[in-house]
Amino acid sequence: MTETIAGIAIPDTKLAREATDLVQEAADRVLYHHSRRVYLFGRLKARHRGLAVDPELAYVGAMFHDLGLTERYGRTDQRFEIDGADLAREFLLDHGRTPAEARAVWLAIALHTTPGVVEHLEPEVAVVTLGVESDVLGFGLDEITPEDRAAVVAAHERPGFKENILRRFADGMKDRPDTTFGTMNDDVLAHFVPGFTRSDFVEIIRGSVWPD
């Protein structure tokens, strides 16, 4: 039987069930419940905005978006967002979705910490960021009714979520600090990693090999 939360159906397909299993095996409860809330909040906001979204693509984007923070899938040579994006693209292609569909989800995950871009792209790209912004930052909650917010949180509770997710971010990026340059992620390392020094964009320009 299809599970429905706040009027949003969780996709009940082989692809979606296997996506859920993969995430549950790799992620702890904090990241799992966060990812489910991202799907639900993203779909609710998309509905509020009149955006038609492919449920399977939205689900994989939401569920895979933080897998780069996990021990199983995290790397140290690229941004954590790319870890999850690459995995989602491979997963979708293996499950028969088209290269264009897989690329949309790749973009959704790769760009979910890059403000001001995804809202100009297709709904399957935007929906992940819509959910992330609501669950992590509290942005756009006025687009979701109090009743729907309560239903989502009742299904996927968030006790101590603010500090818990910050710690997951820090742990997932502390061994690849250079990948946070130019992103909001360096804020996390500045707060949680002793001795972390941000790269300064202005000083990089001033110190480049070009003669002035």
Side-chain angles (χ1 to χ4, degrees):
M1 182 175 178
T2 301
E3 181 182 11
T4 300
I5 301 168
I8 300 297
I10 304 296
D12 187 21
T13 62
K14 182 176 184 290
L15 183 154
R17 290 191 296 271
E18 291 184 4
T20 300
D21 290 343
L22 185 152
V23 174
Q24 287 182 315
E25 290 172 4
D28 64 13
R29 290 181 61 83
V30 172
L31 291 179
Y32 171 74
H33 287 294
H34 163 56
S35 297
R36 294 270 287 199
R37 291 193 305 271
V38 165
Y39 170 72
L40 293 163
F41 287 146
R43 289 291 312 279
L44 286 164
K45 289 172 71 175
R47 185 174 69 185
H48 175 83
R49 298 183 184 193
L51 301 176
V53 178
D54 181 304
E56 277 191 337
L57 298 184
Y59 190 70
V60 171
M63 294 304 290
F64 281 47
H65 84 278
D66 274 345
L67 284 178
L69 299 175
T70 66
E71 184 175 350
R72 179 172 299 187
Y73 295 112
R75 296 169 47 170
T76 58
D77 61 334
Q78 61 184 13
R79 289 173 56 168
F80 85 87
E81 303 93 330
I82 305 303
D83 297 340
D86 287 347
L87 183 64
R89 178 173 56 194
E90 180 180 355
F91 178 87
L92 288 166
L93 292 174
D94 287 346
H95 284 77
R97 301 304 298 246
T98 69
E101 291 167 337
R103 178 169 173 76
V105 176
W106 189 94
L107 287 169
I109 298 173
L111 294 172
H112 82 267
T113 59
T114 304
V117 175
V118 298
E119 57 265 37
H120 302 287
L121 301 173
E122 55 262 52
E124 286 76 16
V125 179
V127 68
V128 173
T129 295
L130 292 179
V132 169
E133 288 181 341
S134 291
D135 198 46
V136 178
L137 304 173
F139 292 173
L141 288 176
D142 58 335
E143 299 180 45
I144 305 170
T145 68
E147 294 79 13
D148 285 343
R149 293 201 303 267
V152 171
V153 174
H156 296 287
E157 296 181 352
R158 40 174 293 151
F161 177 70
K162 293 178 181 180
E163 292 304 319
N164 283 332
I165 196 63
L166 285 170
R167 177 50 61 188
R168 299 308 185 280
F169 291 154
D171 289 345
M173 294 184 287
K174 61 183 173 58
D175 294 327
R176 44 175 152 187
D178 291 346
T179 69
T180 68
F181 170 65
T183 77
M184 65 184 72
N185 298 327
D186 65 357
D187 291 339
V188 175
L189 297 189
H191 278 271
F192 288 94
V193 177
F196 172 71
T197 302
R198 302 171 191 258
S199 297
D200 188 310
F201 179 64
V202 172
E203 293 306 320
I204 290 172
I205 293 173
R206 289 173 171 167
S208 80
V209 298
W210 286 104
D212 197 0

